[in-house]
Amino acid sequence: MRARHLHLVTYSECAIQQPRLAVEAPATAPDLYEPVTAEAALNSSCGNLLTTLGLAELHPEHATRISATPAPRISFV
């Protein structure tokens, strides 16, 4: 449950920042910040889960701070 919350908060922040990050991507990795789509989210879900779990373990202080952030409301159009 905690990993899900951490992922929702951090992934939504990345989605909001994606246009700016894509413009600032290094020339050697132009596709580093691909557009956020349902397909991209599903394709990267396992890797994102493992990354979230690993980072929460390595940086518990940041995980605690993120855990206190309200999860975004997701609406499907």
Side-chain angles (χ1 to χ4, degrees):
M1 181 91 136
R2 183 175 186 214
R4 179 180 186 274
H5 180 85
L6 294 172
H7 177 66
L8 282 172
V9 171
T10 56
Y11 195 77
S12 67
E13 288 176 4
C14 287
I16 290 167
Q17 295 179 26
Q18 186 276 334
R20 180 185 57 79
L21 294 171
V23 169
E24 297 173 2
T28 56
D31 296 329
L32 183 62
Y33 299 103
E34 65 183 7
V36 177
T37 63
E39 182 179 359
L42 288 171
N43 288 340
S44 61
S45 62
C46 290
N48 287 342
L49 174 62
L50 292 174
T51 300
T52 299
L53 292 171
L55 288 173
E57 186 68 24
L58 290 171
H59 302 283
E61 67 285 356
H62 295 298
T64 300
R65 180 182 52 79
I66 294 167
S67 292
T69 304
R73 296 225 177 242
I74 299 171
S75 61
F76 297 96
V77 182

